Amino acid sequence: MLADLHNHSCLSPCGSLDLSPRSILETGAGKGIKLMALTDHNSSLNCPPFAKLSAQYGIIPIFGLEATTNEEIHVLCLFTSLDASMAFSEYAYSIITPFLNNPQKTGDQVYVDADDNIEGEVEYYLVNPLSLSIDDIGAKVIEYGGIVIPAHVDRPAFSMSSQLGLLVDGPWSALECVRIPPVVNDFPLNTKGFPLITSSDAHYLEYIGRRPFELDVTAEELQPGGSGTEANMEIFKQALGRRLKW
């Protein structure tokens, strides 16, 4: 199936206000995506309507957030359970750098219901780092029942390669790349044998589905309870493990 595991909504201050959970699902479905994650910066507050609406569009939902470590490395934290994602989101917000958001300067941070009505706005600036290092975030996400995928590892900013100069070992289920094979400063990036994926990192509607990837799994295997039920985390991890390595 076609998958895209990195998408932002109107909750992310750098995301368009057009990116409601409904519009994300509708656009993704129109591009043939069958497995989709909602990953706002350091928060899962728009995942409940994403969960409620996903079956209408024939999409299996993955819930989570794009965490920022204290080294300012972006990491995808993904869950098949909405409750687990919301619990980790609450924890993440409790350890975020408490710098207030200024919507006029840095953008709105709104969460909505399934009908696109604004329910509230987040107080702290969500792009701020968490007081959690790259060495510790993997174990913490696993503790909450999720998996970890370092984001856009070949980008020149907010990536493991940009912040550390190399990729470090960890409990990563995969590495997200802008392109495969990943190259940094004209040199091939040593990806240490981890499975590789691409994702859209969509901040605007037109970016949804720009870099999906194929996952070797059927909907029946991944969602054995049928449409509208949670995906099976073990099957999800196994399918990611079958992705190409470089």
Side-chain angles (χ1 to χ4, degrees), residues 28-222:
K31 296 186 177 182
I33 295 169
K34 297 298 183 183
L35 178 70
M36 199 171 198
L38 182 56
T39 52
D40 282 301
H41 288 290
N42 289 323
S43 180
S44 296
L45 282 175
N46 266 342
C47 283
F50 188 74
K52 183 177 181 179
L53 295 166
S54 59
Q56 296 181 25
Y57 295 94
I59 288 177
I60 299 173
I62 299 294
F63 315 107
L65 51 86
E66 182 181 23
T68 304
T69 70
N70 59 20
E71 302 94 346
E72 296 195 323
I73 297 169
H74 287 183
V75 177
L76 299 178
C77 307
L78 304 178
F79 304 84
T80 54
S81 163
L82 176 62
D83 289 343
S85 183
M86 297 302 289
F88 184 77
S89 174
E90 185 176 353
Y91 165 74
Y93 195 70
S94 75
I95 60 169
I96 198 169
T97 305
F99 181 81
L100 295 177
N101 186 47
N102 184 334
Q104 286 72 39
K105 291 185 177 181
T106 50
D108 296 293
Q109 300 183 149
V110 297
Y111 51 99
V112 300
D113 64 17
D115 296 315
D116 295 356
N117 299 308
I118 294 175
E119 292 195 317
E121 188 163 359
V122 176
E123 183 180 23
Y124 292 147
Y125 183 49
L126 287 173
V127 180
N128 282 338
L130 308 178
S131 58
L132 198 63
S133 74
I134 191 66
D135 291 329
D136 298 327
I137 192 167
K140 180 59 70 171
V141 173
I142 290 170
E143 179 184 319
Y144 278 79
I147 63 170
V148 183
I149 299 177
H152 40 67
V153 294
D154 50 343
R155 258 184 52 184
F158 300 112
S159 69
M160 201 184 293
S161 63
S162 72
Q163 303 307 101
L164 302 180
L166 75 168
L167 301 188
V168 297
D169 288 320
W172 323 131
S173 292
L175 302 176
E176 181 200 58
C177 308
V178 176
R179 57 188 57 84
I180 299 174
V183 174
V184 175
N185 296 325
D186 298 324
F187 290 94
L189 184 63
N190 180 5
T191 54
K192 295 178 172 285
F194 286 103
L196 305 182
I197 67 168
T198 57
S199 292
S200 295
D201 193 7
H203 289 75
Y204 301 92
L205 274 178
E206 59 267 29
Y207 287 175
I208 291 174
R210 64 177 172 171
R211 287 192 296 265
F213 67 97
E214 291 184 352
L215 196 61
D216 179 21
V217 68
T218 67
E220 292 75 20
E221 291 169 330
L222 188 57

